Amino acid sequence: AQSVAQPEDQVNVAEGNPLTVKCTYSVSGNPYLFWYVQYPNRGLQFLLKYITGDNLVKGSYGFEAEFNKSQTSFHLKKPSALVSDSALYFCAVRDPGSSNTGKLIFGQGTTLQVKP
Amino acid sequence: NAGVTQTPKFQVLKTGQSMTLQCAQDMNHNSMYWYRQDPGMGLRLIYYSASEGTTDKGEVPNGYNVSRLNKREFSLRLESAAPSQTSVYFCAIAGTGVSPLHFGNGTRLTVT
């Protein structure tokens, strides 16, 4: 069965420092992987996705993520955090064998707190 | 969020009451989804509709029904609300291929 794990409930980082939000997955075959961000009282917003190709993918707002097949990980990174990056982040996976686009399996979410 | 409109934004129900959550999109996407979000559990798929006229169960369909009224609208109905259905409900849409989901702003439902 497919699954996604975000091992940290909360990540705290100082503004200007690099940040990493961790995600590991379990899926048969080659996964499609996604990161979403949620600000308070809003829906989720798409940040980036990995389908195939380069292991480092770049997305919105300066975020990037590194796909590591051997470690089954897809960690979200940013070189220099901003206070405005503080939000709830979700990793999600889709079985590429699924015929339906939106049937994603989500991790439980990681709260990112960036302090000035 | 642009493209997906959910109503109402907030609702309080008593156990046993019924209600319908509405979702409408203006992006002309075929696929529509209902997810629920609970603390520490991420989002879980309730029902989805791959195209007009079709609906399928997701991970947690019990206690819910859906209607894909037309290409624009996808409603979620609670026939007899239970406290376990207290949650934030999100409607999402997706295009073809490996398109990302576009989410509405959610409906916060409390069942007492």
Side-chain angles (χ1 to χ4, degrees):
Chain A
Q2 303 171 72
S3 65
V4 177
Q6 294 179 240
E8 301 155 315
D9 289 337
Q10 183 159 328
V11 170
N12 297 309
V13 65
E15 188 174 32
N17 283 359
L19 69 88
T20 299
V21 183
K22 295 180 180 177
C23 172
T24 59
Y25 65 89
S26 174
V27 65
S28 57
N30 295 317
Y32 295 161
L33 295 157
F34 302 81
W35 275 102
Y36 289 83
V37 60
Q38 184 182 31
Y39 297 101
N41 300 313
R42 300 297 299 275
L44 279 68
Q45 297 177 31
F46 169 72
L47 279 178
L48 50 80
K49 66 182 178 184
Y50 172 83
I51 306 302
T52 187
D54 288 342
N55 289 340
L56 186 66
V57 294
K58 296 187 183 297
S60 306
Y61 313 120
F63 283 94
E64 57 189 27
E66 186 170 12
F67 172 64
N68 188 317
K69 188 172 183 178
S70 63
Q71 297 185 4
T72 62
S73 67
F74 189 55
H75 301 331
L76 182 70
K77 300 181 180 183
K78 188 174 182 181
S80 179
L82 300 173
V83 172
S84 57
D85 293 330
S86 298
L88 182 58
Y89 290 81
F90 289 98
C91 181
V93 66
R94 176 162 88 84
D95 181 351
S98 169
S99 62
N100 191 282
T101 306
K103 287 184 68 178
L104 298 181
I105 303 297
F106 285 87
Q108 71 271 31
T110 298
T111 298
L112 174 65
Q113 188 75 33
V114 182
K115 298 183 179 178
Chain B
N1 288 2
V4 183
T5 302
Q6 290 184 238
T7 55
K9 289 184 171 59
F10 301 95
Q11 184 71 50
V12 179
L13 293 178
K14 294 184 178 179
T15 297
Q17 288 185 319
S18 63
M19 78 160 294
T20 300
L21 284 67
Q22 305 286 356
C23 175
Q25 57 132 336
D26 61 6
M27 298 180 72
N28 202 36
H29 285 335
N30 284 325
S31 301
M32 300 186 73
Y33 308 84
W34 279 105
Y35 282 87
R36 60 178 287 174
Q37 181 181 15
D38 301 292
M41 302 187 72
L43 279 77
R44 293 178 292 168
L45 182 63
I46 305 171
Y47 269 94
Y48 66 99
S49 171
S51 62
E52 185 179 354
T54 68
T55 61
D56 286 287
K57 295 179 180 179
E59 182 184 355
V60 288
N62 291 346
Y64 306 96
N65 286 298
V66 290
S67 295
R68 183 72 181 267
L69 304 170
N70 47 54
K71 190 170 185 179
R72 288 189 65 247
E73 298 172 289
F74 188 37
S75 63
L76 179 71
R77 183 160 178 84
L78 287 70
E79 290 290 352
S80 180
S84 61
Q85 295 177 305
T86 293
S87 187
V88 182
Y89 291 86
F90 287 100
C91 177
I93 63 175
T96 58
V98 201
S99 303
L101 292 173
H102 295 274
F103 285 84
N105 282 334
T107 294
R108 188 174 296 274
L109 175 66
T110 301
V111 183
T112 61

